[in-house]
Amino acid sequence: MKQVSIFDAHLHIIDPRFPVAENQGYLPSAFTAADYAQSVENFEVTGGAIVSGSFQGFDQSYLWDALEMLGDRFAGVTQLPADTPDEEILRLHAKGVRAVRFNVMRGGSETLERLDHFARRIHDLAGWHAELYIDSRDLMEMKGIIRQLPAVSIDHLGLSKQGFPELLKLVDHGVKVKATGFGRVDFEPADAIRSIHKLNPEALLFGTDLPSTRAKRAFQASDVTMIQEALGEQEAEKVLYRNALAWYGIE
């Protein structure tokens, strides 16, 4: 049976050798680079994005190690304070970091008040984009700022059906959306994926969200099949790996 090619645009590595802090009463179990490789062995992984979680705060040590372990086709999505010196950002860029995450849902990151200035600064300095873990119900008050950002993506299909129309408006303005975390959303993912794809076939970025911390259900191989069935094999290839390869600048 032919392996399906994926670029995993959203995964977490939780290595007990590096600092992890309890967040909102939650402390994650270990999920090392070796655990991740075993979890996706039935896919042809063309690369991926290792995303810092709320429980990792501003620590970079785990990320450097994970990027070295998984190889140069993996990018880092980190959390940084807005006053991080240019030299540190460029040092992280050399290690493979390509984005800063603003975790509105769980914290552990810089605050939204610093989003506009910091997102512009990192884009001008290193070409990085900003990634938002935010409930789409909260997009109404942020849409003016988000529309003006040079490059931004939103995690987990925006999470909520109620805010989905606002998410679609942002897609129409060029915002990317991660087709991830299907066990986190309160709607049918296939319908949302078709709606976003219809607006912009380059907008969707697939990710496993492994190890699916705090999700109602973890990633399943059938999630990939669902995307293929929703869009057809040719268009699904854009979502499963082509779009994200371009977004993260992986050759």
Side-chain angles (χ1 to χ4, degrees):
M1 181 178 176
K2 180 183 176 184
Q3 285 187 317
V4 177
S5 295
I6 65 170
F7 182 98
D8 190 348
H10 198 99
L11 66 109
H12 300 284
I13 299 298
I14 305 159
D15 192 320
R17 294 177 299 157
F18 302 100
V20 176
E22 186 176 289
N23 176 266
Q24 298 176 0
Y26 176 79
L27 194 64
S29 300
F31 187 75
T32 65
D35 294 329
Y36 171 75
Q38 184 176 9
S39 296
V40 294
E41 62 184 0
N42 292 327
F43 296 100
E44 182 182 348
V45 179
T46 62
I50 306 165
V51 179
S52 289
S54 58
F55 39 78
Q56 287 159 325
F58 296 137
D59 175 61
Q60 307 300 321
S61 58
Y62 96 91
L63 186 56
W64 289 7
D65 184 80
L67 287 167
E68 185 173 337
M69 292 281 290
L70 291 174
D72 59 9
R73 294 184 66 81
F74 283 77
V77 179
T78 195
Q79 296 168 160
L80 290 171
D83 61 357
T84 302
D86 289 358
E87 295 77 14
E88 175 66 7
I89 293 170
L90 293 174
R91 188 162 69 108
L92 290 167
H93 184 83
K95 294 280 188 179
V97 178
R98 293 296 180 266
V100 164
R101 191 184 201 205
F102 289 79
N103 192 329
V104 185
M105 288 290 295
R106 303 289 186 187
S109 67
E110 186 54 271
T111 63
L112 275 180
E113 287 75 16
R114 311 297 291 275
L115 170 62
D116 185 60
H117 178 266
F118 195 27
R120 293 177 185 279
R121 178 178 159 230
I122 59 172
H123 187 269
D124 290 345
L125 178 65
W128 292 5
H129 62 268
E131 301 198 359
L132 304 183
Y133 183 18
I134 186 171
D135 192 306
S136 58
R137 291 175 295 185
D138 297 325
L139 291 174
M140 175 70 78
E141 60 189 82
M142 292 296 303
K143 63 182 180 181
I145 292 174
I146 294 172
R147 282 180 180 179
Q148 299 302 317
L149 294 179
V152 61
S153 68
I154 293 174
D155 292 347
H156 308 322
L157 297 173
L159 296 172
S160 297
K161 182 177 181 179
Q162 183 180 340
F164 191 69
E166 291 300 325
L167 181 68
L168 290 179
K169 292 175 185 176
L170 291 174
V171 170
D172 207 29
H173 279 80
V175 170
K176 306 293 186 183
V177 177
K178 289 193 174 183
T180 58
F182 301 154
R184 302 180 186 276
V185 304
D186 66 359
F187 51 83
E188 174 50 56
D191 293 340
I193 285 167
R194 281 189 288 263
S195 296
I196 294 169
H197 181 269
K198 184 177 180 180
L199 274 179
N200 182 359
E202 280 72 51
L204 285 162
L205 315 166
F206 167 76
T208 63
D209 188 35
L210 284 168
S212 306
T213 55
R214 289 190 268 205
K216 289 177 289 186
R217 75 159 176 85
F219 165 75
Q220 301 171 356
S222 58
D223 292 338
V224 173
T225 306
M226 180 268 290
I227 294 173
Q228 293 173 314
E229 292 176 348
L231 300 178
E233 189 168 339
Q234 184 172 348
E235 290 303 301
E237 285 183 356
K238 296 178 182 178
V239 176
L240 292 174
Y241 69 96
R242 295 192 188 279
N243 291 346
L245 282 171
W247 183 238
Y248 287 98
I250 306 296
E251 299 294 332

